[in-house]
Amino acid sequence: MLLSLLVAPPAAADSGPGREPPAASPVAAGHGGAVASVDPYASRAGLEVLRAGGNAVDAAVATAAALGVTEPYSAGIGGGGYLVFHDARTGRTHTIDGRETAPAAMRPDSFTDPATGRPIPFDEAVNSGLSVGVPGTPATWEKALEEWGSVSLAEALRPATRLARQGFTVDEEFRAQTAQNEERFRDFTPTAELFLPGGELPEVGSVFRNPDLAGTYRLLAREGTGALYGGRLGREVVRTVRRPPVAPDAGRTVRPGLMTASDLDRYRALHRKPTRVEYRGVEVYSMAPSSSGGTTVGEALNILEEFDLAGMDRSQALHHYLEASRLAYADRNRWVGDPAFSDVPARELLSQRFAGERACLIDPGRAMAGPVAAADPRDPASWECTAAEGGGEPYEGPSTTHLVTADRWGNVVSYTLTIEQTGGSAITVPGRGFLLNNELTDFDFTPLSKEVDGPNLPGPGKRPRSSMAPTIVLQDGRPLLALGSPGGSTIITTVLQTLVNRLDLGMTLPRAVAAPRLSQRNTATTQAEPEFMETAPERAALERLGHRFVLPPGAFTPAPEIGAVAALEVLDDGRVLAVAEPERRGGGSAMVLRPAR
């Protein structure tokens, strides 16, 4: 029955090429299941699987695969990510670490120029085979479906395969992201052929088709992920990484990559024990290292647990949010990396005792001068209530995408996936329709200091640190919220501020998502969205405390935005409230199976 419905879905869930995109609403409430993502085509793909009887995991894979079609500059099978799943039957929350890994030939100095001993130019690192990590997204899909799904990978891929073949209507966001990347896309022949049809930017309102990606999805449907991890697709990826298909007239230096077929053979998506903190009577679960998302959001929440944010005026609540974020980021940068290579003190970072000591640095009358130094959560002697000077913020690419799903049985998924930069490495696998990641630029190119290498230098088989923070919040053992965001290092602050808005400041979930954002990541200035800069009454009060605000750079498009949340809330009456962005990244799409009347 499921197979026939996916082949011939109801008319409301499909129409021919050139069609108008599905109606996009940022908020939907109802029963039977829900999906929220940045894109209406992708949300509809997930809803289609729910309608056919699939569960939240099936819908998450279907939605993610469709995002690989319509959001190819943010995610796809050439990248990786992290999935958090709450199993209603067992009451347990699980995670999958599908982060990319470095090739076995990578060394701590791989991003260093041997002639000078200095880091290679960042742009040169990004647009290269050297930046490409072993993709983890297909392994994540397969592992999630095998562990908790109810359909095969072939069935979950079917809506996205059809979408890639038939095409989707180009909107202003897709055209703007293409324009942002046009110069470097032109330097790689298969990328220019795919994303600059006829040598031009795709026109708004035109239909963009990707038959190569449809064929790649059909290959994965037939052969499983072995086609990538040991098969012919993997050989094509390796060939592309080691000999990037540079256009004859390209003027840039493009470094070859280090990946081999053996690197793909060895790749595994991993189960990790989720991070967990208690906050205001709820349990917050998120992603453990190799991501820093769960430990950093969790430490900041633990610091804020020491204060009554609900009893403060809004400027003081925001002040405490910014200062808690600053401190958690200082500790994140010093201690978090791939736990297979570094002794990451995750348990200690998430201890309430450590947070209580860090909280003493927050002065309600004055902002700290960033950056501040990290403390060692295992050494109480380092917990002095003095804000010593620390190091700067490591780079992390701003692109990524996020989705949430829920089903009629009470299962919930929060899933963040990425190819790093908007447009990844800019290298498309010839004839395969997808971009390769530049995830390895998330490594620190050089040691943190002369004394400390730090946990995030490159290494063979190592996973670069991430900020992805797919999060599920339980109340009395049952899902209350699920959320996450793209945005590179701003992911952590976006998730944290949304939680504070909802749990402390009394906002509804739609308001919590839409509210103007601030992002403090242990730097001298705090990024703030234009709405806050122009209209927020709290700005003047925060500036009097010493906060200095700047606009964020245009990450996805020229718009200065922070994050793009997809979230859901299980309401007291059993309905699910699905929420996406009303405006950021062109607005997202929330859908439910049976809308409430």
Side-chain angles (χ1 to χ4, degrees), residues 372-388:
V372 300
D376 186 344
R378 295 168 294 198
D379 179 15
S382 73
W383 301 353
E384 295 182 5
C385 200
T386 304

Side-chain angles (χ1 to χ4, degrees), residues 2 21 47 108 111 113 126-128 133 178 199 231 343 359 364 371-372 394 403 414 439 448 502 506 524 545-546 560:
L2 177 60
L47 203 69
F111 287 106
D113 186 332
V126 169
N127 299 289
S128 73
T178 310
D343 182 15
V372 300
L403 64 96
S414 184
E439 218 64 63
L448 292 180
R502 178 67 190 88
L545 295 176

Side-chain angles (χ1 to χ4, degrees), residues 75-280:
I77 59 176
Y82 300 95
L83 185 146
V84 180
F85 167 63
H86 180 77
D87 186 337
R89 183 180 62 83
T90 64
R92 297 183 60 193
T93 301
H94 308 268
T95 73
I96 297 176
D97 179 339
R99 183 65 157 163
E100 301 88 339
T101 57
M106 179 150 277
R107 296 292 180 263
D109 60 355
S110 288
F111 287 106
T112 302
D113 186 332
T116 65
R118 299 171 64 87
I120 65 175
F122 188 75
D123 182 69
E124 194 173 303
V126 169
N127 299 289
S128 73
L130 185 62
S131 70
V132 181
V134 178
T137 290
T140 301
W141 294 350
E142 187 168 67
K143 192 175 190 70
L145 290 170
E146 288 177 350
E147 297 272 347
W148 311 300
S150 67
V151 305
S152 67
L153 179 62
E155 290 168 320
L157 290 176
R158 194 162 286 118
T161 305
R162 186 177 63 246
L163 178 61
R165 184 182 70 250
Q166 293 181 343
F168 63 93
T169 303
V170 172
D171 59 12
E172 293 180 359
E173 188 79 9
F174 186 81
R175 179 180 167 87
Q177 290 185 19
T178 310
Q180 185 183 34
N181 286 283
E182 180 179 3
E183 181 180 350
R184 66 193 194 112
F185 279 7
R186 289 192 184 279
D187 287 341
F188 297 96
T189 301
T191 306
E193 291 174 349
L194 177 59
F195 296 113
L196 300 169
E200 303 293 335
L201 292 171
E203 293 291 337
V204 174
S206 66
V207 176
F208 188 91
R209 298 179 179 85
N210 193 340
D212 288 345
L213 182 56
T216 302
Y217 280 167
R218 287 194 296 270
L219 175 65
L220 291 172
R222 289 193 309 271
E223 300 183 11
T225 62
L228 175 63
Y229 305 108
R232 57 173 170 155
L233 178 58
R235 291 191 292 274
E236 293 172 33
V237 168
V238 168
R239 184 165 58 247
T240 305
V241 170
R242 296 183 73 88
R243 296 195 298 276
V246 182
D249 58 348
R252 71 174 66 243
T253 298
V254 178
R255 294 174 182 259
L258 303 172
M259 191 186 301
T260 67
S262 295
D263 294 317
L264 284 161
D265 291 343
R266 284 191 291 266
Y267 184 83
R268 298 292 184 273
L270 304 175
H271 283 299
R272 303 272 192 200
K273 183 179 180 181
T275 62
R276 175 189 174 277
V277 297
E278 294 184 4
Y279 186 70
R280 315 297 192 205

Side-chain angles (χ1 to χ4, degrees), residues 10 12 39 60 144 148 301 310 328 351 360 380 383 423 426 451 528 547 566:
D39 180 76
W148 311 300
L301 289 174
S351 75
C360 81
W383 301 353
E451 296 77 25
H547 294 281

Side-chain angles (χ1 to χ4, degrees), residues 82 99 290-294 297 329 332 396 442 465-470 485 487-492 495:
Y82 300 95
R99 183 65 157 163
S290 58
S291 180
S292 65
V297 170
Y329 256 92
R332 169 238 194 217
E396 188 171 344
D442 270 356
R465 181 176 57 209
S466 169
S467 292
M468 288 182 271
S485 175
S489 59
T490 69
I491 291 172
I492 289 166
V495 170

